[in-house]
Amino acid sequence: MKNKFLFIVLTVISIGNIYSQSSINPDISLIGTFNTYTNFIKGSPGYGKLNFDIPEMELFVDGYLNPYARASANISYENNEFGVEELYGDIVRGLPLDIQIKAGKFLVGFGKLNTVHPHAWPFLERPLFHQVFFGEGGFNDVGVNFSFIIPTGDVFTNLDLGVFKGASIIPMSDSYAIDRGVNPIFVGRLGTFWSLDDYTNLEVGLSGSYGCYSKANLVVFGIFNQENVQALNHFYSGLDFKFKYSPTAYSVLTIQGEGLLNNRDVPRIPVMGIDYTLASVQKINNAGAFIYADYKFEKQFSFGIKYDYTAGIFGSAPTFLSLANDDKNSTQGIEAWFSYYPVEETSVVRLGIQNLMYHYADGTNRNNETTIKLQFLFSLGPHKAHPF
Amino acid sequence: MKKIFFALLLISASLSFANIKVVASTTVIYDLVKEIGKDKVSVDFIARGDQDPHFVEVLPSYMVKLRNADIFFRIGMGLEMWSNQLIDGSRNSHLKTIDLATDIDKKEVPNFKPDASYGDVHPFGNPHYWLDPQNAKIMAKEIYEALSAESNQDEAYFKKNLDDFNYRIDKKINEWTNKMSSLKGKSFIFFHASWIYFADRFGIKTAGFVEPKPGIAPSPSHNAELVGIIKSKGIKTILMENFYSDSAPNQLSQLTGIKVVKVPTAVFGMKNINSYIEMMDNIINQIIQNS
């Protein structure tokens, strides 16, 4: 039913665009991504076999509602399903204190990279800690964000404060989890940008997110009675930076990194003989980070490397029980890529390799996993480049 | 003491009222605004002189510039595709954005639905009109009108500056026209499709472009085609903006002996090019010397 509805919406948009080309129509852009890959996982039946992903699509529709506000939608097609990736309105000017307000469903401004659509990344794989702490689609949530410019002279400083439903923070569909009820989360980021000279720019940001990421029916552990259902809170703090050096029109060096510290409540795993009735929820501290460097050395070529670290085991759907251990387990990744832009940035062919290394505190032995991926990506229409 | 303090306060207040804050999208506009506004405006620019104005990264520092501005002048006609993001990011609801193309006689306006198969074709016409010095006069007039509307009491001052600029550029146009008269009717290869206004003004012809289509990187097959054109028509010069890569033109030069002339098409586009007139002087002198 959902797919049918979205199909009708897409058809109406397309027909509207064909038959009423006019300057008041919104901008419509289509991003297509096609991946083919092979895994090298010892003992896996698919070892070394070529796999073809179903092509992915993002349809962007955006434009001005009036001189003060814009609206945007991003409809995605992934894994044979349509979905509303983003849908929001944005008041860009005219409000007191020059506040900008964005409301709807959108990529949340925690860190720098999360708000950039994946098709604009220079690499192929989403950072591991994004996937472990935010989910496969990144930190994408329903809510409202208030953006303030802090008066710091010629230096651009921006403060984002938002309230969100918290859907992206719940990492599990666990039989122990129960409805969070009305428990919004709060997200903020303070970012400062410096132009070091005509060719060198730097942005540094601090982010935070606090709220109830889930509630646990701890009765099933045999520890609590029903009245003691616990709210499990999280506090994420983040540090990010982006450095860009463009000495010529055709060469750009980008170095970008982010780190996240997670302070989270998790149920303590019962151990025989110990009374947990007074201390059934424990706090864990863990972290995730990535850093990459990408060098574009001609108009048509770039290459780069990324290092990833995340607490927890990447790829496994987390449960209350696994979360209780995710300060002990970890995953590391190294990714390298080479990109070729055949004509300009409207299309790119990218070859990448990623190696994942797992570490289990209980000594579980798991082989490294290597994936080689070839990606073809195109961008049709006026979808705008992301700001720095 | 008190009187002196209040007098200084009044003077500084009146000075600040007279000071119109302007941001120009390009350094050519920056120079023209300085010509007309002189000490009654403070002006800054976005795209550097050595930068391709089509592709400017949306930097927050540019938003800060626009945040404090009263007027933003731009070329328009879709040249500065990046500018709306800067305007939105500035959150300046009092900013007046003025496209200087309004009264320009626009060339190469497509009479078909342009799409990417034609390369980077601008749907509103070719926006490189500032390379015709007669159009610089139209731009200057537009700037004069905008500044006068912003500060009525300075209208006469701006008019005097406009007249002075027009007088000087008229003299230079005569000089440039005389210099270029020896090349009238001759054919040139250009790198990018940005020279139509210049070529029409001085009566030179376009034999081809190094880019196979506007904004599309040169290709070996297209270069081979150009070699044939250069040899058959005896073309002596490739004219190109100095921010483009000269590797394809240099290959053509090695194959045919054609001269590659790299010129700034913006103020500050190279050392000692500090005004529009100096920029045009440089372009014309280099063409004359190398053709």
Side-chain angles (χ1 to χ4, degrees), chain A residues 3-314:
Chain A
N3 279 358
K4 273 186 187 166
F5 171 74
L6 281 162
F7 178 76
I8 291 166
V9 169
L10 291 174
T11 308
V12 168
I13 288 169
S14 317
I15 291 170
N17 197 35
I18 292 164
Y19 291 105
S20 60
Q21 287 290 345
S22 122
S23 58
I24 58 164
N25 278 348
D27 289 339
I28 298 172
S29 307
L30 183 72
I31 312 287
T33 310
F34 174 67
N35 291 318
T36 178
Y37 65 94
T38 182
N39 288 321
F40 297 96
I41 305 168
K42 270 187 188 168
S44 151
Y47 186 94
K49 285 186 181 167
L50 199 58
N51 300 280
F52 294 90
D53 276 349
I54 295 163
E56 295 172 7
M57 181 200 83
E58 286 176 289
L59 182 70
F60 290 89
V61 182
D62 72 299
Y64 287 97
L65 296 166
N66 54 52
Y68 307 99
R70 298 181 60 89
S72 303
N74 173 8
I75 296 162
S76 67
Y77 177 75
E78 284 176 21
N79 303 323
N80 272 335
E81 277 199 352
F82 283 104
V84 178
E85 194 77 11
E86 291 183 284
L87 180 64
Y88 61 87
D90 199 355
I91 302 172
V92 293
R93 65 174 74 85
L95 290 173
L97 301 173
D98 293 329
I99 299 171
Q100 286 186 338
I101 298 178
K102 191 171 178 179
K105 183 177 188 290
F106 52 91
L107 294 166
V108 179
F110 186 100
K112 176 80 179 163
L113 189 82
N114 190 64
T115 54
V116 179
H117 296 124
H119 66 82
W121 297 346
F123 45 82
L124 292 104
E125 306 293 347
R126 182 179 285 279
L128 299 180
F129 88 77
H130 274 216
Q131 302 193 51
V132 166
F133 292 107
F134 305 147
E136 276 183 15
F139 199 159
N140 186 326
D141 214 337
V142 176
V144 58
N145 186 74
F146 301 87
S147 174
F148 305 84
I149 286 187
I150 309 295
T152 48
D154 288 343
V155 174
F156 182 90
T157 304
N158 187 68
L159 175 67
D160 281 338
L161 294 172
V163 185
F164 297 90
K165 187 180 173 188
S168 183
I169 289 293
I170 302 171
M172 69 209 80
S173 53
D174 196 299
S175 57
Y176 300 141
I178 62 170
D179 188 1
R180 291 164 63 247
V182 183
N183 283 291
I185 63 164
F186 302 92
V187 182
R189 179 174 182 270
L190 180 68
T192 301
F193 174 92
W194 292 272
S195 270
L196 304 177
D197 59 37
D198 282 347
Y199 310 98
T200 316
N201 297 294
L202 173 69
E203 183 172 347
V204 176
L206 286 171
S207 304
S209 168
Y210 174 76
C212 170
Y213 77 89
S214 192
K215 285 189 175 182
N217 183 357
L218 300 179
V219 175
V220 296
F221 289 115
I223 299 166
F224 283 136
N225 58 32
Q226 187 62 41
E227 286 76 42
N228 286 330
V229 165
Q230 292 285 295
L232 303 175
N233 294 320
H234 79 280
F235 178 67
Y236 291 163
S237 51
L239 173 68
D240 61 84
F241 78 94
K242 185 175 182 182
F243 170 87
K244 216 167 181 179
Y245 174 57
S246 332
T248 69
Y250 300 112
S251 59
V252 185
L253 171 68
T254 307
I255 302 173
Q256 185 171 3
E258 290 185 14
L260 178 147
L261 287 174
N262 167 37
N263 179 276
R264 177 188 279 169
D265 297 329
V266 292
R268 190 183 294 277
I269 298 170
V271 177
M272 292 294 289
I274 299 176
D275 180 8
Y276 282 99
T277 52
L278 296 177
S280 59
V281 174
Q282 61 175 338
K283 277 201 182 299
I284 61 166
N285 291 293
N286 55 17
F290 74 85
I291 185 165
Y292 78 82
D294 179 75
Y295 181 56
K296 192 168 185 184
F297 57 97
E298 278 293 335
K299 194 178 179 184
Q300 292 167 296
F301 302 102
S302 78
F303 67 91
I305 189 162
K306 172 161 71 69
Y307 171 75
D308 266 299
Y309 167 85
T310 185
I313 297 300
F314 163 74

Side-chain angles (χ1 to χ4, degrees), chain B residues 33-73:
Chain B
V33 172
K34 287 192 89 167
E35 288 279 6
I36 310 304
K38 293 201 187 301
D39 57 346
K40 302 278 186 190
V41 299
S42 64
V43 56
D44 204 342
F45 56 84
I46 304 286
R48 298 189 314 268
D50 61 352
Q51 200 172 12
D52 185 347
H54 297 85
F55 304 104
V56 172
E57 188 169 18
V58 177
L59 297 180
S61 52
Y62 300 150
M63 295 172 190
V64 174
K65 290 182 182 187
L66 287 177
R67 181 169 173 72
N68 301 318
D70 301 306
I71 304 175
F72 176 41
F73 288 113

Side-chain angles (χ1 to χ4, degrees), chain B residues 185-242:
Chain B
K186 287 201 171 175
S187 293
F188 287 74
I189 302 281
F190 298 102
F191 186 95
H192 178 68
S194 44
W195 295 90
I196 180 70
Y197 295 91
F198 180 89
D200 283 359
R201 172 59 50 203
F202 296 109
I204 59 176
K205 288 182 179 167
T206 304
F209 299 99
V210 177
E211 290 179 336
K213 287 184 177 173
I216 304 302
S219 65
S221 61
H222 184 66
N223 260 14
E225 205 177 295
L226 285 177
V227 168
I229 294 172
I230 291 165
K231 285 182 175 169
S232 66
K233 294 191 174 177
I235 297 164
K236 291 192 169 62
T237 314
I238 295 175
L239 190 60
M240 64 180 292
E241 290 92 335
N242 61 356

Side-chain angles (χ1 to χ4, degrees), chain B residues 103-235:
Chain B
D103 293 333
I104 299 289
D105 182 14
K106 298 171 184 68
K107 296 180 189 290
E108 295 179 345
V109 181
N111 56 3
F112 53 90
K113 181 181 170 283
D115 61 36
S117 68
Y118 298 92
D120 285 343
V121 173
H122 294 275
F124 307 110
N126 191 316
H128 303 86
Y129 56 81
W130 68 92
L131 291 173
D132 175 355
Q134 287 291 357
N135 285 341
K137 291 172 64 181
I138 297 171
M139 294 164 75
K141 182 169 174 281
E142 192 91 30
I143 290 166
Y144 149 75
E145 286 169 355
L147 295 181
S148 300
E150 189 70 18
S151 179
N152 287 327
Q153 72 268 27
D154 295 315
E155 193 268 339
Y157 177 80
F158 298 138
K159 182 71 170 65
K160 183 184 162 300
N161 295 340
L162 175 69
D163 292 343
D164 178 53
F165 173 74
N166 283 340
Y167 173 76
R168 283 184 290 123
I169 201 147
D170 278 339
K171 273 178 71 179
K172 292 300 289 187
I173 289 171
N174 281 337
E175 179 191 322
W176 294 328
T177 308
N178 286 337
K179 280 184 175 176
M180 290 291 289
S181 60
S182 60
L183 300 175
K184 214 166 188 175
K186 287 201 171 175
S187 293
F188 287 74
I189 302 281
F190 298 102
F191 186 95
H192 178 68
S194 44
W195 295 90
I196 180 70
Y197 295 91
F198 180 89
D200 283 359
R201 172 59 50 203
F202 296 109
I204 59 176
K205 288 182 179 167
T206 304
F209 299 99
V210 177
E211 290 179 336
K213 287 184 177 173
I216 304 302
S219 65
S221 61
H222 184 66
N223 260 14
E225 205 177 295
L226 285 177
V227 168
I229 294 172
I230 291 165
K231 285 182 175 169
S232 66
K233 294 191 174 177
I235 297 164

Side-chain angles (χ1 to χ4, degrees), chain A residues 299-355:
Chain A
K299 194 178 179 184
Q300 292 167 296
F301 302 102
S302 78
F303 67 91
I305 189 162
K306 172 161 71 69
Y307 171 75
D308 266 299
Y309 167 85
T310 185
I313 297 300
F314 163 74
S316 313
T319 66
F320 280 137
L321 296 178
S322 71
L323 281 171
N325 275 320
D326 75 2
D327 55 341
K328 302 177 187 74
N329 303 331
S330 64
T331 311
Q332 292 181 75
I334 292 181
E335 183 187 352
W337 60 89
F338 183 84
S339 303
Y340 169 57
Y341 303 85
V343 178
E344 43 170 280
E345 297 199 355
T346 49
S347 58
V348 57
V349 179
R350 189 169 282 140
L351 181 66
I353 179 167
Q354 186 181 45
N355 186 51

